[in-house]
């Protein structure tokens, strides 16, 4: 099957932050997400101690706005996507005490609409990604009571399609990324009974192609990132045995750059932190040796999630 080049991937992630090249400037607006992807990868590989946590937290807090939300980088507008990433990183570091949890929770709660949906920011775009971000973030902060959970769940259920999948809004096409967001939010709120597990499981297992990789929609190319979106959803609905896990693991490992580190979307493509994280997270879900287990709903290492909910 091949081996995971752990040391190379760790060095690749550590080097990414040091580079201030053209590519990094293009990604500046999602730097907070990048911090979450890279740091969670390091944690899954047991190498989080290689990072200056104080410096990371200091930078992150400069990205927070008076409203409580976080921007993608310093000086960027607040958004629920970046706010979740910030909270997840602080959870990784066990540094939630630097936050005013009430302020952050109020920011998120104010983004809920009357129909239960969530806007991403003050401009009002609605998407089930934002429903997941809100529910996951508030659960980690122990403030789910800030929102109308019943309405939030009902809105997500309205986004369910005849094929068992979920879209970004009611009537939207089923997509593996949206399915993770909806199933993850339903799992966190104890609402998985709304999922047609056999029908959704069949749709998800059909995402596996001959190479062993997974795609996000019918007739699309496989992509390492769907090793997370599809696999986590299958695990949450207890249908992961419907795919060939060994072939998927081989596909992920074939996407490694074994010389310079990092994982790409498909074999021989350019690597990036996004696909490196989702490749390692996928291997974690496949119980690959030397990779810590990850929680399929919270997208954080299991020991970190247990610390949040059971150790305090």
């Amino acid at each position: 099957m091949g081996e995971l080049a752990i040391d190379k991937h760790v060095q690749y992630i550590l080097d990414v932050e040091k580079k201030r090249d053209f590519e990094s400037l293009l990604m500046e607006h999602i730097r907070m997400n990048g911090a979450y992807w890279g740091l969670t990868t390091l944690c899954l590989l047991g190498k989080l101690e290689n990072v200056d946590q104080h410096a990371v937290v200091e930078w992150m807090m400069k990205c927070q706005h008076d409203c409580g939300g976080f921007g993608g980088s310093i000086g960027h507008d607040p958004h629920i996507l970046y706010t979740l990433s910030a909270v997840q990183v602080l959870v990784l570091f066990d540094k939630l005490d630097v936050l005013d949890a009430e302020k952050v929770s109020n920011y998120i709660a104010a983004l809920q609409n009357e129909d239960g949906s969530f806007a991403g920011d003050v401009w009002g775009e609605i998407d089930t990604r934002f429903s997941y971000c809100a529910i996951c973030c508030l659960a980690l902060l122990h403030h789910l009571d800030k929102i109308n959970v019943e309405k939030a769940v009902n809105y997500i259920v309205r986004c369910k399609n005849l094929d068992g999948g979920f879209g970004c809004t009611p009537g939207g096409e089923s997509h593996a990324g949206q399915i993770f967001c909806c199933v993850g939010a339903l799992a966190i709120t104890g609402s998985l009974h709304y999922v047609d597990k056999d029908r959704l499981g069949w749709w998800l297992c059909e995402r596996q192609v001959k190479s062993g990789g997974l795609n996000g929609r019918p007739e699309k190319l496989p992509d390492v990132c769907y090793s997370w979106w599809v696999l986590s959803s299958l695990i949450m609905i207890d249908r992961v045995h419907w795919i060939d896990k060994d072939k998927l693991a081989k596909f992920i490992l074939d996407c490694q750059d074994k010389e310079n580190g990092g994982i790409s979307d498909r074999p021989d493509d350019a690597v990036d932190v996004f696909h490196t994280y989702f490749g390692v997270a996928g291997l974690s879900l496949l119980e690959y040796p030397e990779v810590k287990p990850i929680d399929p709903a919270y997208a954080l290492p299991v020991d970190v999630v247990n610390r949040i909910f059971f150790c305090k």
Side-chain angles (χ1 to χ4, degrees):
M1 182 184 293
E3 294 185 2
L4 182 64
I6 292 177
D7 291 341
K8 294 286 187 179
H9 298 324
V10 169
Q11 193 58 52
Y12 164 73
I13 291 169
L14 294 175
D15 288 343
V16 164
E17 179 54 30
K18 298 173 186 176
K19 295 178 181 177
R20 303 307 292 167
D21 54 11
F22 181 66
E23 183 180 359
S24 69
L25 290 174
L26 291 177
M27 304 299 286
E28 183 70 12
H29 65 293
I30 57 169
R31 195 176 175 197
M32 187 68 73
N33 295 146
Y36 160 71
W37 298 327
L39 293 167
T40 307
T41 303
L42 292 178
C43 190
L44 290 172
L45 297 177
K47 303 293 184 179
L48 194 59
E49 72 278 359
N50 291 4
V51 173
D52 183 344
Q53 297 187 15
H54 176 76
V56 175
V57 173
E58 186 177 40
W59 168 77
M60 286 177 55
M61 297 311 294
K62 291 178 181 177
C63 299
Q64 189 177 27
H65 290 252
D66 291 340
C67 64
F70 285 79
S73 192
I74 297 172
H76 289 242
D77 291 344
H79 196 285
I80 200 167
L81 289 171
Y82 312 128
T83 302
L84 172 60
S85 289
V87 169
Q88 287 172 316
V89 170
L90 291 174
V91 167
L92 275 180
F93 289 161
D94 197 16
K95 297 288 187 182
L96 277 181
D97 56 333
V98 305
L99 273 187
D100 182 339
E102 191 83 11
K103 189 175 184 180
V104 177
S105 301
N106 287 339
Y107 164 75
I108 295 170
L111 294 172
Q112 186 173 31
N113 299 305
E114 183 58 33
D115 64 357
S117 65
F118 283 84
D121 57 16
V122 295
W123 303 109
E125 180 189 5
I126 295 170
D127 192 309
T128 45
R129 290 180 301 155
F130 310 150
S131 295
Y132 170 77
C133 290
I135 288 169
C136 182
C137 198
L138 290 175
L140 291 171
L141 295 174
H142 302 285
H143 278 304
L144 262 178
D145 58 336
K146 291 278 186 180
I147 61 169
N148 188 319
V149 174
E150 183 179 2
K151 282 188 174 183
V153 168
N154 288 341
Y155 178 79
I156 292 170
V157 173
R158 285 178 52 209
C159 298
K160 184 167 65 171
N161 294 318
L162 292 175
D163 56 18
F166 294 81
C168 59
T169 53
E173 178 187 9
S174 294
H175 183 280
Q178 303 296 153
I179 288 169
F180 160 77
C181 291
C182 294
V183 173
L186 293 176
I188 291 170
T189 57
S191 308
L192 282 177
H193 54 279
Y194 288 111
V195 178
D196 186 334
K197 296 179 181 179
D198 284 341
R199 184 169 294 188
L200 176 57
W202 181 253
W203 190 93
L204 288 168
C205 77
E206 284 195 319
R207 305 282 59 78
Q208 190 163 37
V209 301
K210 289 182 179 180
S211 66
L214 299 163
N215 61 25
R217 291 178 291 164
E219 303 303 320
K220 294 294 185 178
L221 293 174
D223 187 317
V224 157
C225 71
Y226 294 110
S227 304
W228 169 262
W229 308 118
V230 173
L231 204 58
S232 58
S233 300
L234 284 169
I235 288 173
M236 286 187 280
I237 62 173
D238 195 26
R239 299 295 184 274
V240 72
H241 53 288
W242 287 7
I243 65 165
D244 189 325
K245 292 189 280 187
D246 289 339
K247 285 186 71 174
L248 175 57
K250 183 180 185 304
F251 175 79
I252 297 171
L253 293 169
D254 285 346
C255 294
Q256 299 180 96
D257 182 337
K258 291 187 176 181
E259 292 185 9
N260 303 305
I263 298 175
S264 59
D265 57 348
R266 284 177 286 279
D268 300 320
D269 281 357
V271 303
D272 56 63
V273 175
F274 176 85
H275 289 94
T276 302
Y277 164 60
F278 286 112
V280 172
L283 290 173
S284 174
L285 293 174
L286 292 168
E287 300 179 339
Y288 188 88
E290 298 183 84
V291 181
K292 292 167 61 174
I294 191 169
D295 187 283
Y298 288 98
L300 288 167
V302 169
D303 59 340
V304 172
V305 174
N306 288 344
R307 186 182 70 225
I308 285 290
F309 294 110
F310 302 119
C311 297
K312 292 185 178 180

